[in-house]
Amino acid sequence: MKRILLFALLLICSSTFAQMVTKVTDPVDWVNPLMGSSSKPDLSNGNTYPCIALPWGMNFWTPQTGSNGDGWAYTYDAHKIVGFKQTHQPSPWMGDYGQFSIMPMTKHLNVTQNDRASWFSHKAEVVKPYYYSVYLADHDITTEITPTERAAQFRFTFPKTDSSFIVVDAYDKGSYIKVIPGQNKIVGYSTRYAAGQLKNFKNYFVIYVDKPFTLSRTYNLTEEEKGGRGGRNRTETASLNGSLESTADHALAAIGFKTRAGETVNLRVASSFISIEQAELNLKREIGGDSFNATAQKGRAVWNKTLSRLSVSGGTIDQTRTFYSCLYRMLFFPHKMYELDAKGVPTHYSAQNGEVLPGYKFAGTGFWDTFRALYPFLNLVYPSVDKEMQAGLVNDYKEGGWLPEWSSPGYADCMIGNNSASIVADAYLKGIRGYDINTLWEAVKHGADNTGPEATGRRGVEYYNTLGYVPYDVKINENAARTLEYAYDDFAIYKLGKALGKPESEIAIYKKRSLNYRNLFDKSIGLMRGKNKDGSWETPFNPLKWGDAFTEGNAWHYSWAALHDIQGMIDLEGGNKAFINKLDSIFIIPPVFDDSYYGGVIHEIREMQIVNMGQYAHGNQPIQHMLYLYNFAGEPWKSQEHIRDAMAKLYKATPDGYCGDEDNGQTSAWYIFSAMGFYPVCPASSQYVIGTPLFKSITVSLENGKKLVINAPNNSDNNKYVSAISVNGKPYNNNWFGHAALTQGGVINFKMSAFPNKTRGTQQSSFPYSLSNEK
């Protein structure tokens, strides 16, 4: 009898599991927003947080396990939640801006972070892009959140008690809060930001509660720093105000009421960078009278529509989860900073001049990371979104005099390069129109010839434009890396000017300067190297030394930075064979390093070391394209081998699922492009270099209504090599695809094999674009 019951139980469980599997047909159900959240300052597995938001939404929500001001707002190994935070944080290293938090609690009203914190477990946590739920054990409360672009709904399920509370924390650095019991309403603003200089910056919020308050209070909090990184060791003291309104360094409010067992209390929340009145308008427009469930269903529909632009089949469950989790992460940054006024006209607070002006605005991204693949992906799959972003860049320039290199939300002094040139050029070269490209042309030229505030323009430009490089001995940090990136950026400007029909007399200088990378190539070692003002080499020199002349990397990482002229690099190395040998050496040299410039092991170094792939450091951006470079020298099968290895080894839809900082969608974009079977090694060339597709089939639904189908029916873990390609039924022998051809749709068929085809793609005529080959 026991055996019969057990067999029946197994049948029921199997049936239930099968139903669960068959239900995962919507792409949003494959997403794990916790991918990359098991991170800390000295080891990044992504440095992400669960983002409960809509694609490119103005506001994100996340459970907060870290202290206020701590860039690691949510870490997977934490055990307590201190609040549910509205965030705009692009990176823990950059910090947040315009944040506030909401926290329900019971028993005793103690409003400081430590006192209101509650134990939680991932076992009682549901995390979806459009929905979050968690049980707060200390308060016996279940919290649920569902977002819109500029608003959100909360649903708190309380126990039976006469001591139920909701705490609203407007953060430090200057904040305001007011409780209006007669309207069941709380309003306020936060001024906290972490980077750059901002005028008149406020993130206004409005909160409506569907239950009358029997208790209303405001507090001022004082904090004492005890040392440590990013606010991790602060103590707080709360002082009760005698008023329902508080303007202070750190303002906070609490409301209270009695609740029945299982009673739900609903909050409707919205914010604005413009005014409280605009926040009210955002709330009315985006939520109105919708129920919590209706908002969640609308959010789910938005995510499914956005994610389903790419449809995959024929992969493993893990591969599918990883694919859609990476795609989810790509669709947040930069986020919208514009709002719709009463007439529906896009309007924005300007982080450049502090005024409220008409037009689009985006923020929260670093171009040093995202020019490489994130923006090229938008230009291929979501061009209408980048059209708005380009219009936003026009406003950045008009309002501040510079294009940003890092926006957070204004100009931020972080990273190097003048890669806004690539962002602008790639969009236009790939056919995006409908914005003021002439202003952007002036903007990229201005940035190329001047040094601006907060990392805008080019630091060391006076040397770069005269010597052809930024010298090592003039106290401009990361000089070799700057030279190499400026050279690519000059190429992007040259290509844009050519596409705009600008006269040769205007654009020739940029083409000439794009070859400046040659000035730092040391033939004696076959690598890039810092050079002094007098033309002598940096001495002593260790190619394994991180930082110094380079940015978060060493000579082995930056020696491939001439994205636009790989053939020129091959010629410098002495030909295809020498170039291939140099690429091979990256994986042969053990993951040893010199950290003397930093005075210790930075997390990027540690992440290279522990994955045991030689000097290949996929966790940081400068070398991510390198795996595709075998295509330029006649051995594309080696690219296929290393790409598949990196996808399998370095990505998984788990809390430790990345191999370094995810960085605003860039590291995810590498995976998505690679899974499709190609990658934009040189964005402004309008070519994608072929790798090896991951799935048996991927269908890309393009905005123009056409479909691009990528088939690899005999694909598998073993069959990772490309033996033949056909495009629309015709044999295809190039090692690249053109953007214009892909946007026409069609069918690409890959024939895969367990063994490399060492004849396909080996001829010079098959190689991708290089400036040296331009006629």
Side-chain angles (χ1 to χ4, degrees):
M1 184 64 179
K2 288 181 181 179
R3 290 183 179 179
I4 295 173
L5 288 174
L6 179 60
F7 180 69
L9 181 61
L10 287 172
L11 283 177
I12 293 170
C13 291
S14 299
S15 174
T16 302
F17 178 75
Q19 290 174 8
M20 290 173 63
V21 172
T22 57
K23 286 180 181 178
V24 185
T25 56
D26 291 339
V28 73
D29 292 327
W30 292 109
V31 173
N32 181 10
L34 297 177
M35 180 177 176
S37 63
S38 181
S39 298
K40 52 188 177 180
D42 57 354
L43 183 66
S44 173
N45 289 308
N47 266 337
T48 65
Y49 53 87
C51 223
I52 316 305
L54 296 190
W56 305 290
M58 191 175 85
N59 301 325
F60 311 149
W61 290 91
T62 192
Q64 181 185 348
T65 63
S67 299
N68 288 355
D70 186 348
W72 285 262
Y74 177 101
T75 51
Y76 189 80
D77 60 352
H79 303 294
K80 289 188 176 183
I81 286 175
V82 301
F84 300 94
K85 174 182 173 183
Q86 186 190 97
T87 177
H88 307 92
Q89 180 172 290
S91 160
W93 306 108
M94 182 56 67
D96 206 349
Y97 50 92
Q99 62 267 57
F100 66 95
S101 69
I102 299 171
M103 181 67 176
M105 57 189 301
T106 57
K107 301 173 185 174
H108 303 290
L109 181 56
N110 298 314
V111 299
T112 63
Q113 291 178 87
N114 288 339
D115 289 333
R116 71 187 188 232
S118 173
W119 282 81
F120 81 105
S121 169
H122 299 299
K123 300 176 184 67
E125 183 184 43
V126 178
V127 192
K128 300 286 186 182
Y130 60 91
Y131 172 82
Y132 179 84
S133 174
V134 70
Y135 176 68
L136 302 174
D138 289 282
H139 304 305
D140 191 21
I141 296 171
T142 296
T143 292
E144 299 170 274
I145 308 170
T146 187
T148 68
E149 286 190 344
R150 300 170 185 86
Q153 295 211 57
F154 282 70
R155 184 164 62 192
F156 300 130
T157 302
F158 284 94
K160 175 180 171 57
T161 176
D162 60 1
S163 301
S164 290
F165 310 101
I166 296 173
V167 177
V168 180
D169 191 337
Y171 274 65
D172 59 344
K173 308 299 184 185
S175 53
Y176 165 79
I177 203 158
K178 181 179 182 180
V179 182
I180 310 173
Q183 299 179 45
N184 295 347
K185 179 178 176 181
I186 302 170
V187 299
Y189 63 71
S190 167
T191 67
R192 194 183 218 282
Y193 64 90
Q197 300 295 320
L198 300 178
K199 296 179 182 179
N200 306 324
F201 176 75
K202 292 181 175 68
N203 184 39
Y204 300 91
F205 57 83
V206 57
I207 302 170
Y208 284 92
V209 185
D210 71 348
K211 185 178 178 67
F213 317 156
T214 57
L215 176 146
S216 302
R217 294 177 181 175
T218 66
Y219 300 80
N220 295 343
L221 265 66
T222 57
E223 298 164 285
E224 182 180 356
E225 182 68 59
K226 296 293 187 180
R229 179 192 289 268
R232 288 177 172 245
N233 293 288
R234 292 178 177 176
T235 59
E236 293 183 331
T237 302
S239 301
L240 181 64
N241 287 324
S243 167
L244 296 184
E245 187 172 15
S246 176
T247 302
D249 177 73
H250 190 158
L252 185 147
I255 59 171
F257 32 68
K258 294 180 180 180
T259 52
R260 305 181 306 276
E263 180 177 354
T264 59
V265 177
N266 294 275
L267 275 63
R268 294 180 299 129
V269 185
S271 66
S272 168
F273 292 111
I274 296 172
S275 66
I276 288 176
E277 292 74 21
Q278 181 65 45
E280 295 268 14
L281 183 58
N282 294 341
L283 182 63
K284 181 179 180 180
R285 177 180 284 118
E286 297 190 6
I287 291 181
D290 284 351
S291 68
F292 182 97
N293 289 343
T295 298
Q297 286 302 314
K298 286 181 179 179
R300 177 182 174 87
V302 169
W303 272 110
N304 276 325
K305 181 179 179 181
T306 309
L307 292 170
S308 65
R309 297 290 286 279
L310 276 73
S311 176
V312 304
S313 63
T316 66
I317 289 175
D318 281 346
Q319 288 168 343
T320 306
R321 285 175 176 157
T322 302
F323 182 88
Y324 282 112
S325 297
C326 284
L327 183 56
Y328 149 87
R329 189 63 60 180
M330 293 165 62
L331 303 182
F332 288 121
F333 302 105
H335 71 84
K336 295 176 180 178
M337 275 199 78
Y338 72 85
E339 305 169 55
L340 303 179
D341 69 11
K343 296 180 180 179
V345 176
T347 307
H348 65 271
Y349 157 80
S350 173
Q352 280 67 41
N353 62 23
E355 298 178 14
V356 175
L357 298 166
Y360 293 104
K361 181 74 78 172
F362 288 78
T365 189
F367 293 162
W368 184 82
D369 305 293
T370 54
F371 87 88
R372 304 169 194 272
L374 188 278
Y375 277 90
F377 184 81
L378 296 178
N379 293 333
L380 177 63
V381 183
Y382 305 99
S384 63
V385 175
D386 198 25
K387 175 184 173 182
E388 290 187 1
M389 293 175 182
Q390 296 297 316
L393 289 175
V394 172
N395 290 327
D396 289 339
Y397 180 66
K398 287 182 175 179
E399 295 159 19
W402 302 88
L403 291 177
E405 301 301 333
W406 239 110
S407 62
S408 190
Y411 302 128
D413 190 0
C414 186
M415 307 312 294
I416 66 159
N418 180 217
N419 299 311
S420 56
S422 180
I423 302 296
V424 171
D426 191 55
Y428 189 82
L429 290 164
K430 288 177 178 170
I432 298 180
R433 299 293 186 270
Y435 54 93
D436 187 356
I437 187 60
N438 291 320
T439 292
L440 289 181
W441 171 246
E442 294 303 318
V444 297
K445 289 195 301 175
H446 176 68
D449 290 322
N450 296 279
T451 299
E454 304 287 353
T456 57
R458 297 185 178 183
R459 196 167 298 171
V461 66
E462 66 275 19
Y463 298 106
Y464 177 82
N465 286 355
T466 55
L467 298 175
Y469 60 94
V470 181
Y472 177 79
D473 57 347
V474 296
K475 300 188 183 303
I476 296 176
N477 67 319
E478 302 166 347
N479 39 82
R482 292 180 191 275
T483 299
L484 297 170
E485 295 205 20
Y486 295 164
Y488 165 73
D489 298 329
D490 279 328
F491 166 79
I493 296 172
Y494 159 68
K495 294 293 282 187
L496 175 60
K498 194 172 181 180
L500 290 171
K502 300 300 179 181
E504 187 68 18
S505 59
E506 186 177 3
I507 64 175
I509 186 63
Y510 300 106
K511 182 178 182 181
K512 179 181 178 182
R513 289 175 183 166
S514 74
L515 299 177
N516 282 344
Y517 73 89
R518 296 174 176 175
N519 297 327
L520 295 188
F521 185 79
D522 183 352
K523 289 188 177 182
S524 69
I525 57 173
L527 295 170
M528 297 295 176
R529 181 175 181 178
K531 182 179 282 189
N532 294 319
K533 189 176 179 181
D534 64 4
S536 61
W537 291 114
E538 160 202 357
T539 303
F541 174 71
N542 180 358
L544 301 176
K545 184 179 183 180
W546 281 62
D548 201 6
F550 300 102
T551 301
E552 297 178 0
N554 62 32
W556 282 102
H557 306 143
Y558 255 98
S559 290
W560 324 103
L563 312 177
H564 56 295
D565 198 17
I566 302 302
Q567 183 59 55
M569 286 290 307
I570 292 171
D571 295 340
L572 289 174
E573 290 286 356
N576 289 347
K577 188 61 179 175
F579 185 76
I580 292 290
N581 288 341
K582 189 67 72 172
L583 293 178
D584 289 343
S585 298
I586 292 171
F587 302 100
I588 295 171
I589 301 171
V592 294
F593 54 85
D594 175 354
D595 63 1
S596 59
Y597 176 75
Y598 298 109
V601 180
I602 62 173
H603 75 95
E604 290 90 350
I605 296 176
R606 186 69 71 209
E607 289 143 16
M608 178 196 75
Q609 181 193 38
I610 62 177
V611 300
N612 193 29
M613 295 178 74
Q615 288 296 307
Y616 184 67
H618 191 85
N620 216 15
Q621 280 65 42
I623 202 172
Q624 287 180 352
H625 67 287
M626 169 262 151
L627 300 185
Y628 285 83
L629 299 189
Y630 291 97
N631 283 279
F632 293 78
E635 296 189 13
W637 61 89
K638 287 187 176 178
S639 282
Q640 297 154 22
E641 181 176 295
H642 289 302
I643 291 163
R644 189 65 72 86
D645 186 42
M647 281 194 283
K649 190 173 186 178
L650 305 180
Y651 291 82
K652 198 168 185 180
T654 57
D656 63 345
Y658 293 102
C659 59
D661 286 352
E662 198 283 324
D663 281 332
N664 313 133
Q666 166 56 31
T667 299
S668 291
W670 185 94
Y671 185 90
I672 296 297
F673 265 125
S674 295
M676 293 168 71
F678 48 85
Y679 185 80
V681 168
C682 178
S685 72
S686 295
Q687 287 187 356
Y688 305 91
V689 180
I690 294 173
T692 171
L694 183 62
F695 295 89
K696 294 184 186 299
S697 183
I698 295 181
T699 298
V700 184
S701 298
L702 300 166
E703 277 192 358
N704 60 13
K706 298 179 180 179
K707 292 186 182 296
L708 174 66
V709 181
I710 303 162
N711 290 324
N714 62 331
N715 211 347
S716 68
D717 289 344
N718 289 329
N719 292 352
K720 58 187 175 184
Y721 297 103
V722 177
S723 62
I725 301 174
S726 67
V727 176
N728 296 327
K730 297 179 180 180
Y732 188 82
N733 295 315
N734 291 333
N735 292 347
W736 55 272
F737 297 126
H739 177 82
L742 293 186
T743 59
Q744 294 304 305
V747 179
I748 301 174
N749 285 317
F750 285 84
K751 183 179 180 181
M752 308 300 292
S753 171
F755 304 98
N757 180 346
K758 296 188 177 182
T759 61
R760 191 202 170 279
T762 60
Q763 303 300 313
Q764 185 79 31
S765 59
S766 298
F767 298 172
Y769 173 89
S770 286
L771 181 61
S772 290
N773 295 330
E774 188 174 283
K775 296 179 181 178

